[in-house]
Amino acid sequence: MKVWFLGTGAGRPNKQRNVTSMALQLPDSESGWWLFDCGEATQHQLMHVPLKLSKLERVFVTHMHGDHVYGLPGLLSSRSFAGGITPVTLYGPAGIKSYVETVFALTGTMLDYDLTFHELEEEELSTVYDGGRFSVSAGPLVHRVPCFGYRIAERSTPGPLLADKAKSLGVKAGPLFGKLKSGETVTLEDGTVIRPEDVTDGVIRGRVVTLLGDTSPCDMSLTLAKEADLLVHEATFAAGLEEKAHEFGHSTTVEAARTALAAGAKGLAMTHFSGRYSNEELAKLAAEAAAVFPNVIAATDFSSVEISRPLPDREGSGL
């Protein structure tokens, strides 16, 4: 599983970085990917990474500011030209449906696939998608307009199947092996119940990725980022500019690091940098955060972060 940074700038593009967009590339066994925010020219940025527009499955918008949505109608339109025919679901704040449909109506845009909208309500925390292997929760952040952060959680699965042990308990190789590997409990012909934890080597913990929209420090950021393998947090301004950051609903580098530390996150990727900072200055911004939370990077356009599946936890109490 990998996060691609398609745009890492705030407000407007410059020669070194485009406006905000990120992509979550699903595990190798999955064929698709998800998009988070879609600033202007995101479809151009996609040409520089190994993601096919036709394989896009879901779009999650954090808020309706232009640097996060101006690229959306064009990208959705181009997906048809790229051979995309499978459905796409779009999640975002109230108004996202009207925005996209109005642009399509005025431009005569027709899609070759079904586009479904899921507008979010400003609740404390809610599950907006549950697809079996992954679930996505959304929660409201602190910004100048309604804005959300997203927590993508992968379900834990049994570790490697201990085939010899399963056979010794009467499980025949075949479909029952497959069910146990996928975490299902099976019942043998004689009524014996075999649980996955009885015949597997520990538990493989599911990964968690938290992608926040624009925000000042808040409790919801901590909730969404709790023990995340990767937290993606905006860092619009350098340390010392907290007052200016909060005036516009943003955070500084040190505040992003404090959130990662308080949430118990394992890694932090900072993005959404003000145009006042050149890419050469990003090392300084990363160093500010690293003084609080060492495992941090300052993301650049087209960079990526791999989130590896952990080894089985042999002391886990179950799925």
Side-chain angles (χ1 to χ4, degrees):
M1 194 157 68
K2 183 181 292 188
V3 174
W4 289 92
F5 293 92
L6 304 176
T8 56
R12 59 179 180 173
N14 60 36
K15 292 182 179 180
Q16 295 183 314
R17 64 182 76 99
N18 198 50
V19 284
T20 298
S21 184
M22 295 168 282
L24 178 63
Q25 185 175 359
L26 299 175
D28 292 341
S29 60
E30 308 284 348
S31 60
W33 59 278
W34 300 348
L35 183 67
F36 292 79
D37 284 337
C38 190
E40 185 177 0
T42 292
Q43 64 174 310
H44 293 263
Q45 300 291 93
L46 271 173
M47 298 177 187
H48 299 276
V49 300
L51 297 173
K52 294 182 179 181
L53 187 52
S54 61
K55 297 294 185 180
L56 173 63
E57 295 177 347
R58 302 181 188 278
V59 180
F60 298 85
V61 172
T62 62
H63 64 293
M64 294 297 295
H65 277 159
D67 58 324
H68 294 253
V69 299
Y70 280 163
L72 187 55
L75 179 140
L76 294 173
S77 175
S78 292
R79 186 176 183 271
S80 287
F81 292 102
I85 57 174
T86 53
V88 170
T89 305
L90 173 55
Y91 307 79
I96 190 68
K97 183 175 187 289
S98 175
Y99 166 62
V100 171
E101 290 185 342
T102 298
V103 174
F104 284 173
L106 292 173
T107 58
T109 299
M110 302 291 290
L111 303 180
D112 294 331
Y113 57 91
D114 292 331
L115 178 62
T116 302
F117 296 89
H118 185 140
E119 293 195 332
L120 309 181
E121 298 180 4
E122 287 193 79
E123 301 174 356
E124 273 301 296
L125 186 67
S126 61
T127 299
V128 298
Y129 170 74
D130 191 339
R133 181 169 183 177
F134 293 96
S135 64
V136 181
S137 300
L141 303 174
V142 176
H143 195 46
R144 291 178 294 156
V145 298
C147 184
F148 294 87
Y150 295 98
R151 177 184 174 92
I152 303 93
E154 181 183 35
R155 281 180 172 76
S156 297
T157 58
L161 181 70
L162 303 174
D164 290 342
K165 185 174 182 180
K167 291 177 181 178
S168 71
L169 294 175
V171 182
K172 296 180 181 179
L176 294 183
F177 271 27
K179 289 183 177 181
L180 290 166
K181 287 180 181 179
S182 65
E184 293 183 48
T185 295
V186 302
T187 302
L188 305 183
E189 293 180 357
D190 63 1
T192 301
V193 176
I194 307 295
R195 302 172 303 168
E197 54 264 41
D198 295 332
V199 293
T200 54
D201 186 12
V203 173
I204 300 177
R205 179 183 55 82
R207 291 161 284 189
V208 174
V209 179
T210 299
L211 306 173
L212 301 182
D214 294 1
T215 188
S216 294
C218 63
D219 290 342
M220 182 55 70
S221 294
L222 299 176
T223 299
L224 291 168
K226 183 179 180 181
E227 299 180 354
D229 293 275
L230 177 67
L231 166 62
V232 179
H233 197 300
E234 69 127 285
T236 307
F237 295 103
L241 294 176
E242 284 75 17
E243 184 175 349
K244 184 177 183 64
H246 299 173
E247 178 184 358
F248 296 100
H250 293 299
S251 299
T252 67
T253 53
V254 169
E255 289 175 326
R258 288 172 179 164
T259 295
L261 182 65
K266 298 175 179 62
L268 169 65
M270 298 187 302
T271 186
H272 200 267
F273 302 110
S274 167
R276 66 173 60 193
Y277 307 113
S278 67
N279 274 6
E280 289 70 30
E281 294 176 280
L282 294 186
K284 177 183 177 182
L285 298 182
E288 291 177 352
V292 176
F293 185 84
N295 190 19
V296 58
I297 65 165
T300 56
D301 286 20
F302 313 124
S303 64
S304 63
V305 176
E306 182 83 33
I307 306 99
S308 300
R309 197 84 191 269
L311 295 173
D313 177 7
R314 295 178 175 84
E315 296 181 359
S317 59
L319 296 180

